[in-house]
């Protein structure tokens, strides 16, 4: 099973991923968690480039770099684990590329970016995608004391466009489960676990 988590920075993805991973392990499931971009030596090096504030990266280059890192992660690590019937949780997948590089950056037409994403993911589609929805004001408040990387310094209007992108994907994709990320951690955790437990049955 492939489970992905999406949402803007500050939505609580990392917290919920950790809680879900621990719950699955307690239920004797083999589970691995990877972040995007990252998860392999090659992908982590690409991540360093993408997040380094010293670099000015063209939007098309940015989209291609994210996709390159994804391709390496999927081919090298994720697909072999799925073939062994293990559960894989991804902190971001190609939906982030559509939202950030497509709607946010306007790097290329959405249709073209979707084609690129399909190639980079080797045709892999998540079984379920949890979209932790939060507005930009709450996100800014939660991230006020954090050091920001190159992507996180893209500005409020950029993030408004990204949210619109995620909202459109949530309507278009039946695998999306939209969760109000302003709710308590416990409420969200319970909601997610109930849905994953149903999938496991």
């Amino acid at each position: 099973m492939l489970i992905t988590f999406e949402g803007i920075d500050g939505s609580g993805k990392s917290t919920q991923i950790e809680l879900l991973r621990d719950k699955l392990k307690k239920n004797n499931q083999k589970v691995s968690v990877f972040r995007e971009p990252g998860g392999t030596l090659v992908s982590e090096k690409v991540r360093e480039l993408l997040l380094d504030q010293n670099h000015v990266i063209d939007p098309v280059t940015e989209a291609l770099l994210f996709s390159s890192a994804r391709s390496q992660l999927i081919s090298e690590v994720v697909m072999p684990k799925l073939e062994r019937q293990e559960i894989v949780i991804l902190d971001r997948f190609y939906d982030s590329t559509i939202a950030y590089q497509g709607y946010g950056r306007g790097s290329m037409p959405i249709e073209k970016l979707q084609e690129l994403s399909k190639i980079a993911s080797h045709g892999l589609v998540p079984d379920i995608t949890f979209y932790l929805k939060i507005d930009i004001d709450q996100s800014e408040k939660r991230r006020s004391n954090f050091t920001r990387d190159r992507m996180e310094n893209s500005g409020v209007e950029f993030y408004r466009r990204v949210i619109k992108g995620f909202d459109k994907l949530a309507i278009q994709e039946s695998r999306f489960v939209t969760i109000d990320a302003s709710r308590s951690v416990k409420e969200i955790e319970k909601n997610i676990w109930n849905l994953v437990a149903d999938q496991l049955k």
Side-chain angles (χ1 to χ4, degrees):
M1 179 189 294
L2 177 61
I3 303 168
T4 60
F5 280 74
E6 299 288 359
I8 64 170
D9 302 288
S11 61
K13 290 185 292 82
S14 299
T15 298
Q16 292 302 327
I17 287 170
E18 185 177 334
L19 290 168
L20 178 58
R21 179 197 61 198
D22 292 347
K23 190 86 169 180
L24 286 165
K25 284 184 175 180
K26 286 178 183 176
N27 281 266
N28 301 312
Q29 298 288 340
K30 286 188 176 180
V31 56
S32 299
V33 173
F34 301 100
R35 64 181 182 178
E36 276 219 9
T40 71
L41 181 61
V42 170
S43 302
E44 288 292 340
K45 286 186 178 295
V46 175
R47 181 186 182 89
E48 288 177 21
L49 279 172
L50 283 164
L51 302 186
D52 190 338
Q53 296 194 59
N54 295 316
H55 299 312
V56 177
I57 301 177
D58 176 81
V60 174
T61 304
E62 184 179 273
L64 293 171
L65 283 170
F66 272 108
S67 298
S68 296
R70 176 171 305 121
S71 176
Q72 189 66 29
L73 172 64
I74 297 303
S75 62
E76 183 179 334
V77 181
V78 175
M79 291 184 82
K81 286 184 176 293
L82 293 175
E83 287 167 5
R84 294 194 296 268
Q85 304 301 307
E86 297 180 26
I87 296 173
V88 176
I89 301 173
L90 294 182
D91 185 347
R92 300 197 180 285
F93 196 36
Y94 56 67
D95 297 304
S96 276
T97 296
I98 303 301
Y100 279 77
Q101 282 68 56
Y103 290 96
R105 296 277 195 236
S107 61
M108 62 183 77
I110 299 300
E111 296 76 15
K112 293 289 185 184
L113 202 50
Q114 287 172 329
E115 289 176 20
L116 175 63
S117 295
K118 187 175 182 180
I119 293 168
S121 62
H122 297 258
L124 200 60
V125 178
D127 292 289
I128 187 167
T129 297
F130 291 108
Y131 166 36
L132 273 60
K133 181 176 171 61
I134 191 172
D135 64 41
I136 190 63
D137 293 331
Q138 289 176 308
S139 171
E140 287 290 312
K141 184 182 291 186
R142 291 182 180 184
R143 296 184 297 131
S144 60
N145 295 321
F146 295 168
T147 302
R148 303 192 183 196
D149 58 38
R150 191 185 68 84
M151 290 297 297
E152 292 168 336
N153 272 327
S154 297
V156 171
E157 289 308 313
F158 168 77
Y159 274 97
R160 291 193 199 282
R161 294 193 297 272
V162 171
I163 291 170
K164 286 183 180 178
F166 276 130
D167 289 346
K168 286 185 179 180
L169 287 168
I171 294 169
Q172 295 166 357
E173 302 289 345
S174 59
R175 61 185 162 81
F176 259 65
V177 175
T178 301
I179 294 175
D180 179 1
S182 67
R183 291 159 55 203
S184 73
V185 170
K186 281 292 183 184
E187 283 181 296
I188 296 170
E189 177 190 7
K190 184 177 180 181
N191 190 182
I192 289 171
W193 175 246
N194 287 340
L195 290 163
V196 170
D198 284 343
Q199 288 274 336
L200 289 171
K201 292 175 185 175

